[in-house]
Amino acid sequence: MTETPETIIQKIEQSHNQLIRLYRSVPVNKILEPTLASGWSVKTVLAHISAWEWRCAALLAEAHTTNGPLLAEPDVAALNEEIQQERESWSWEEVEMDFRLAHQTLLETVNDMPTARLNDKFVLRTIARDTWQEYERFLPDLQQWHQRINQSRIRN
């Protein structure tokens, strides 16, 4: 892996900003509709991503001197199901606020990491896996969703 802390943070920021640009230009009722290829809504995707950013921040906060906390390998499918069940009743406002707070907390946690730890390949791999790779997993579907909405606006 040739990632550096700077390139990973740049990827996180680019993906985060791209996602915000996509959903901010769409009416809230469209954000709540489960019309993505996954069967999820944009609200569900944001709740999912923020949960992974919270998880990453928590792991990093405990990994200032050791990779021990980063070695935990959860059952990802079960964790994703738990995230979805926990947050499905949240309002759009709650999800959006949590999305912003999780991202801010993640960046603060990364910035608080000791430099030597932040440059550790295992730490970098954990940050990448739990952040921008989650964004990248959903961005193509979100881009198609955004395009469909814009095309229907033009037609109507």
Side-chain angles (χ1 to χ4, degrees), residues 24-146:
R24 284 243 140 155
S25 63
V26 174
V28 172
N29 66 318
K30 298 293 185 188
I31 291 168
L32 303 177
E33 294 174 356
T35 56
L36 298 175
S38 63
W40 285 7
S41 67
V42 173
K43 175 189 158 201
T44 304
V45 169
L46 264 62
H48 172 86
I49 288 173
S50 63
W52 278 95
E53 286 193 336
W54 281 119
R55 180 182 186 280
C56 184
L59 289 173
L60 293 176
E62 298 297 321
H64 279 224
T65 59
T66 179
N67 284 340
L70 308 179
L71 298 174
E73 297 211 15
D75 177 342
V76 173
L79 183 57
N80 286 339
E81 180 66 27
E82 181 181 319
I83 290 167
Q84 187 172 0
Q85 287 178 3
E86 173 188 314
R87 294 164 182 242
E88 70 185 340
S89 65
W90 290 13
S91 70
W92 164 242
E93 292 77 14
E94 290 171 306
V95 168
E96 187 178 31
M97 186 180 347
D98 186 66
F99 179 70
R100 292 176 181 279
L101 187 57
H103 187 69
Q104 178 184 345
T105 301
L106 171 72
L107 293 178
E108 289 170 0
T109 304
V110 168
N111 287 330
D112 288 346
M113 288 289 290
T115 303
R117 293 294 300 141
L118 189 55
N119 285 304
D120 181 275
K121 289 180 194 258
F122 200 74
V123 170
L124 291 173
R125 191 172 343 172
T126 299
I127 296 170
R129 181 195 66 216
D130 290 353
T131 61
W132 70 267
Q133 288 177 356
E134 282 296 310
Y135 280 94
E136 293 299 314
R137 190 173 132 209
F138 293 101
L139 276 169
D141 195 13
L142 291 167
Q143 289 166 333
Q144 290 174 358
W145 165 82
H146 188 262

